[in-house]
């Protein structure tokens, strides 16, 4: 082999080695978690949602309380539909938790009924949100702690069924700001209630989602992987105006979120969620394709 060809050979071999190392290091940063997709974008058309979600390669689905209303007497039918799509029931949106003491018993019964439904479907988790926050004032610490107390009581009973209850932080509810979320989380009993960290709601509420991943690493039971845009082009002077958008189209630092999920070795469900199609010209499937492309091309997931 001539000196020139030898030099070229070594150069090309070095490039290949570097490329292999780069690829390996990039893949190593992708967290080994379970990816699901929420059916909420399809506006109650759950059969269409599951078909589309399966076609995109996701392995889990989040359904909402409307599924209970439709299938509570036809549980096996829905279970067969979920299974035939090759999906797992990653999460079930169980609805609001009332903090009014007069409604405590009925609130607990309501969510336990949902947990029984989820268990029969082969799922193991329900999501709890809460009542709308006061309009004329900030919620009190007692109100935030009261929410945690009722959720703890719900979690005790769902745990007996083998179903984990998780609290979903949410704009315009108790737990809008990171400070409020922290009061609630600190009052939650981790034996019975975990945190479903919604990164877009947390961001819009003034928090840094990637930091929250580290801060609450021991109590995170699930995540909503979501993006939000603010300010809006048609409301440039309104700092409170926002809309949820496909992944990579908003302001959430999702790369930092996934980097920290890898750091804490998070392996549970991360559920992509988009409340509705942000552009009327798109379908739910097209919006989901945009989010999938972000997960593949920017984060490195193999979906």
């Amino acid at each position: 082999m001539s000196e020139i060809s030898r030099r070229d050979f070594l150069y090309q071999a070095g490039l290949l080695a570097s490329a292999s190392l780069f690829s390996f290091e990039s893949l190593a940063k992708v967290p080994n978690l379970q990816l699901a997709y929420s059916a909420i974008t399809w506006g109650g058309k759950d059969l269409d949602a599951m078909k589309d979600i399966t076609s995109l390669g996701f392995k889990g689905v989040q359904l909402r309380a409307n599924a209970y209303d439709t299938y509570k007497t036809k549980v096996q039918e829905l279970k067969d539909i979920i299974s035939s799509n090759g999906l797992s029931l990653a999460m079930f949106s169980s609805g609001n938790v009332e903090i009014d003491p007069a409604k405590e018993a009925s609130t607990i019964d309501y969510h336990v009924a949902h947990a029984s439904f989820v268990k029969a479907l082969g799922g193991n988790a329900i999501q709890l949100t809460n009542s709308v926050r006061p309009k004329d004032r900030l919620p009190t610490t007692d109100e935030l702690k009261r929410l945690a107390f009722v959720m703890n009581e719900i979690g005790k009973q769902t745990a007996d069924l083998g179903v984990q209850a998780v609290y979903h932080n949410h704009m315009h509810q108790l737990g809008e700001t990171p400070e409020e979320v922290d009061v609630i989380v600190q009052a939650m009993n981790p034996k019975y209630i975990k945190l479903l960290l919604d990164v877009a709601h947390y961001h819009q509420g003034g928090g840094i989602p990637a930091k929250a991943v580290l801060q609450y690493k021991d109590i995170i039971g699930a995540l909503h992987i979501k993006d939000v845009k603010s300010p809006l082009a048609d409301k440039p002077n309104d700092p409170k105006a926002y809309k949820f958008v496909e992944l990579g189209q908003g302001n959430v630092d999702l790369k930092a979120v996934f980097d920290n999920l890898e750091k804490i070795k998070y392996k549970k469900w991360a559920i992509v969620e988009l409340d509705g199609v942000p552009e009327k010209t798109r379908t739910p499937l097209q919006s989901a394709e945009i989010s999938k492309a972000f997960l593949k091309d920017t984060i490195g997931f193999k979906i």
Side-chain angles (χ1 to χ4, degrees), residues 267-278:
K267 297 182 188 232
K268 301 172 187 175
W269 285 109
I271 305 157
V272 181
E273 186 185 56
L274 179 61
D275 292 24
V277 178

Side-chain angles (χ1 to χ4, degrees), residues 210-266:
K211 288 180 63 177
V213 167
L214 301 180
Q215 181 177 354
Y216 299 119
K217 62 185 178 65
D218 295 327
I219 200 171
I220 293 177
L223 289 105
H224 273 173
I225 300 302
K226 192 169 181 173
D227 210 347
V228 62
K229 179 182 288 186
S230 180
L232 303 178
D234 58 341
K235 298 179 181 178
N237 298 319
D238 185 358
K240 293 185 178 181
Y242 67 91
K243 71 176 178 179
F244 296 115
V245 292
E246 297 91 350
L247 301 186
Q249 306 301 301
N251 308 119
V252 180
D253 188 349
L254 293 166
K255 179 67 166 59
V257 168
F258 281 113
D259 283 347
N260 283 352
L261 288 173
E262 194 280 328
K263 285 180 184 176
I264 68 172
K265 306 302 178 187
Y266 180 83

Side-chain angles (χ1 to χ4, degrees), residues 1-72:
M1 180 183 292
S2 71
E3 184 60 30
I4 293 177
S5 60
R6 181 174 180 276
R7 222 183 289 135
D8 288 342
F9 172 80
L10 292 174
Y11 175 72
Q12 294 296 333
L15 286 179
L16 288 172
S18 297
S20 300
L21 179 61
F22 176 78
S23 176
F24 176 80
E25 288 177 345
S26 297
L27 290 174
K29 293 179 182 179
V30 179
N32 182 27
L33 47 73
Q34 304 175 84
L35 278 175
Y37 206 102
S38 176
I40 189 174
T41 324
W42 284 258
K45 297 179 180 179
D46 292 340
L47 301 186
D48 291 343
M50 285 186 274
K51 181 180 177 181
D52 287 347
I53 289 166
T54 297
S55 73
L56 292 169
F58 291 92
K59 301 303 181 184
V61 63
Q62 175 166 350
L63 298 177
R64 306 182 75 207
N66 65 286
Y68 176 80
D69 297 333
T70 304
Y71 290 100
K72 60 186 174 184

Side-chain angles (χ1 to χ4, degrees), residues 6-232:
R6 181 174 180 276
R7 222 183 289 135
D8 288 342
F9 172 80
L10 292 174
Y11 175 72
Q12 294 296 333
L15 286 179
L16 288 172
S18 297
S20 300
L21 179 61
F22 176 78
S23 176
F24 176 80
E25 288 177 345
S26 297
L27 290 174
K29 293 179 182 179
V30 179
N32 182 27
L33 47 73
Q34 304 175 84
L35 278 175
Y37 206 102
S38 176
I40 189 174
T41 324
W42 284 258
K45 297 179 180 179
D46 292 340
L47 301 186
D48 291 343
M50 285 186 274
K51 181 180 177 181
D52 287 347
I53 289 166
T54 297
S55 73
L56 292 169
F58 291 92
K59 301 303 181 184
V61 63
Q62 175 166 350
L63 298 177
R64 306 182 75 207
N66 65 286
Y68 176 80
D69 297 333
T70 304
Y71 290 100
K72 60 186 174 184
T73 61
K74 303 181 291 182
V75 177
Q76 189 60 48
E77 180 180 337
L78 180 56
K79 185 176 183 179
D80 290 343
I81 293 170
I82 296 171
S83 177
S84 67
N85 280 284
L87 297 170
S88 297
L89 182 58
M91 185 62 63
F92 182 85
S93 305
S94 191
N96 287 343
V97 172
E98 301 291 342
I99 64 172
D100 181 352
K103 298 179 180 179
E104 181 177 322
S106 61
T107 291
I108 293 172
D109 290 345
Y110 175 80
H111 293 291
V112 171
H114 283 169
S116 296
F117 178 68
V118 166
K119 185 66 175 180
L121 290 172
N124 60 12
I126 62 169
Q127 166 194 298
L128 305 176
T129 47
N130 59 270
S131 300
V132 176
R133 69 193 282 110
K135 293 182 179 179
D136 57 346
R137 60 175 175 82
L138 295 175
T140 67
T141 298
D142 286 344
E143 286 172 329
L144 299 173
K145 289 183 176 180
R146 171 70 185 164
L147 171 61
F149 172 82
V150 181
M151 291 194 298
N152 287 338
E153 295 303 306
I154 293 169
K156 287 178 185 177
Q157 294 196 33
T158 65
D160 290 339
L161 299 170
V163 174
Q164 176 68 62
V166 296
Y167 161 63
H168 177 331
N169 60 292
H170 207 290
M171 290 293 292
H172 308 301
Q173 295 187 0
L174 303 181
E176 175 178 293
T177 69
E179 294 79 14
E180 292 168 7
V181 171
D182 195 59
V183 171
I184 294 168
V185 171
Q186 296 306 324
M188 286 167 20
N189 185 335
K191 184 177 179 181
Y192 300 119
I193 185 85
K194 303 290 187 184
L195 173 65
L196 186 160
L197 177 64
D198 186 301
V199 299
H201 281 282
Y202 196 82
H203 171 91
Q204 191 60 31
I208 302 174
K211 288 180 63 177
V213 167
L214 301 180
Q215 181 177 354
Y216 299 119
K217 62 185 178 65
D218 295 327
I219 200 171
I220 293 177
L223 289 105
H224 273 173
I225 300 302
K226 192 169 181 173
D227 210 347
V228 62
K229 179 182 288 186
S230 180
L232 303 178

